[in-house]
Amino acid sequence: MRPEILVLGSGWMPEVSEELERRFVCHHLAQVAPDERPAFIAGIAGRVRGVFTSGTVGIDAALAARLPALEVVAVHGVGVDAVDFKALAPRGIPVTNTPDVLTDDVADLAVALLLAAARRLPMLDRYVRAGGWEAKQPLAPSRALRGKVAGILGLGRIGQAVAARLEGFGMQIRYYQRSTAQLAYPRSASPLALARESDYLIVCAPGGSGTRHLVDAAVIDALGPEGTLVNIARGSLVDEAALVAALEQGRLGAAALDVFVDEPRVPPALKAMDNVVLAPHVGSFTLEARTAMGMLAIANLLAHFAGEPLPTQVADKPA
Ligand code: 8YV
């Protein structure tokens, strides 16, 4: 008998969708109209043994409480900040995520965003399309990357992959993260010091209450009018209102953002600025990474239902 699972979120890669249906009896909450969801959940709650969810949707305490037979939560993503561990841990419900398989693609996007901001690609694209080149409209030069300092906020798997790539551009790497484990690059004393010592600040740390507004107004000011903020982690790490204000007032040079506080809503002020590069949370959105993420999340569910060790259980309860 195939175990019954509740699937939260949508947009899985084709191979993943097929495998989900083959292995489980899937109940897709995203396919149910919002006002019909309470009744839908009530109808299946007693049979739902697993949840398959995206990194951004996660699972909250209210939903977990309505699933009395829940045994395991598999997150299709590396970030687990949207999972309410306090609601799951007392029930002994393990949570799994999908590290490693997305690292390269997320790091690639971080570099793409950094380059796009540094070389002002979106603005140049608009300039050419609008006939600015032919009209000989004035164009200021960009600034070179070589010799500039890239400050990595959160030197975990993704942060290290970003650092390795940026070294190839002749950038100097620094980082900050709480742990003082010896890593290959100089560690700044705080996020503020890192911003002061960097030309580019690349946010790679996990989201959650412990890292909320790590990049606040003071950090943004320390990065300064020549500085660029890149965020491929979570919108919650950055004080978005302070970011908008600093960009508007010229206290920050530029920003390149894949993540936002209230996705998919992006502050209109950010959309209006030429020195801001925007992406719709697509760090891991390649066919390869998303397929591998889905298959790994499924492998975790299958291992649980077979009574085997979970391949990628989240070890520590995040703060
Ligand atoms: C996706 C992510 O947005 O891995 C993460 O933490 O944010 C992304 O890869 C999402 O999890 C896809 O389901």
Side-chain angles (χ1 to χ4, degrees):
M1 265 237 311
R2 287 175 301 158
E4 296 196 28
I5 65 167
L6 180 62
V7 179
L8 307 176
S10 59
W12 321 115
M13 294 299 110
E15 207 180 306
V16 174
S17 292
E18 281 165 29
E19 189 68 355
L20 276 173
E21 302 304 328
R22 193 166 30 236
R23 299 293 198 152
F24 310 105
V25 174
C26 296
H27 304 285
H28 295 273
L29 196 63
Q31 292 172 8
V32 180
D35 57 334
E36 288 167 18
R37 288 180 188 169
F40 174 79
I41 291 167
I44 57 168
R47 308 193 304 272
V48 168
R49 296 174 60 198
V51 158
F52 181 97
T53 183
S54 79
T56 42
V57 174
I59 180 168
D60 63 18
L63 180 55
R66 286 152 69 197
L67 300 172
L70 184 61
E71 297 170 24
V72 58
V73 171
V75 177
H76 174 279
V78 69
V80 290
D81 51 304
V83 172
D84 192 325
F85 281 79
K86 282 199 213 75
L88 301 177
R91 293 168 60 186
I93 298 170
V95 177
T96 68
N97 66 347
T98 60
D100 299 320
V101 293
L102 46 60
T103 300
D104 285 331
D105 292 352
V106 177
D108 287 352
L109 187 83
V111 173
L113 283 173
L114 189 151
L115 280 167
R119 301 301 298 266
R120 302 177 302 158
L121 267 190
M123 187 276 283
L124 294 176
D125 182 273
R126 289 191 291 270
Y127 174 89
V128 173
R129 286 171 202 265
W133 194 11
E134 287 146 65
K136 295 190 168 57
Q137 282 169 10
L139 198 58
S142 301
R143 300 290 299 272
L145 288 189
R146 183 159 296 280
K148 300 292 187 321
V149 178
I152 315 275
L153 189 57
L155 198 65
R157 296 181 188 86
I158 293 171
Q160 289 181 37
V162 172
R165 283 158 173 71
L166 293 180
E167 277 189 289
F169 289 90
M171 298 188 83
Q172 295 172 42
I173 311 296
R174 305 190 60 83
Y175 77 97
Y176 171 79
Q177 64 180 22
R178 254 175 300 177
S179 112
T180 52
Q182 282 296 310
L183 292 164
Y185 308 103
R187 178 180 183 272
S188 294
S190 64
L192 189 67
L194 183 67
R196 201 179 292 130
E197 290 153 2
S198 301
D199 300 295
Y200 293 83
L201 186 66
I202 303 110
V203 184
C204 301
S209 54
T211 57
R212 187 172 179 276
H213 287 191
L214 213 52
V215 178
D216 59 11
V219 169
I220 293 167
D221 276 338
L223 196 53
E226 299 291 318
T228 297
L229 180 74
V230 179
N231 190 2
I232 48 84
R234 285 288 183 268
S236 62
L237 282 133
V238 175
D239 181 340
E240 207 169 67
L243 173 65
V244 169
L247 285 164
E248 280 176 332
Q249 294 157 19
R251 287 183 284 111
L252 178 68
L257 309 167
D258 185 44
V259 288
F260 305 88
V261 170
D262 185 24
E263 296 172 6
R265 279 163 288 275
V266 174
L270 289 178
K271 293 183 190 168
M273 286 185 264
D274 240 359
N275 53 345
V276 175
V277 182
L278 301 169
H281 198 149
V282 288
S284 69
F285 192 43
T286 64
L287 178 64
E288 292 84 354
R290 286 287 169 93
T291 301
M293 289 160 67
M295 295 318 239
L296 181 53
I298 290 171
N300 275 285
L301 289 175
L302 291 174
H304 169 82
F305 293 124
E308 289 163 8
L310 307 183
T312 48
Q313 182 170 352
V314 179
D316 299 316
K317 199 156 62 96

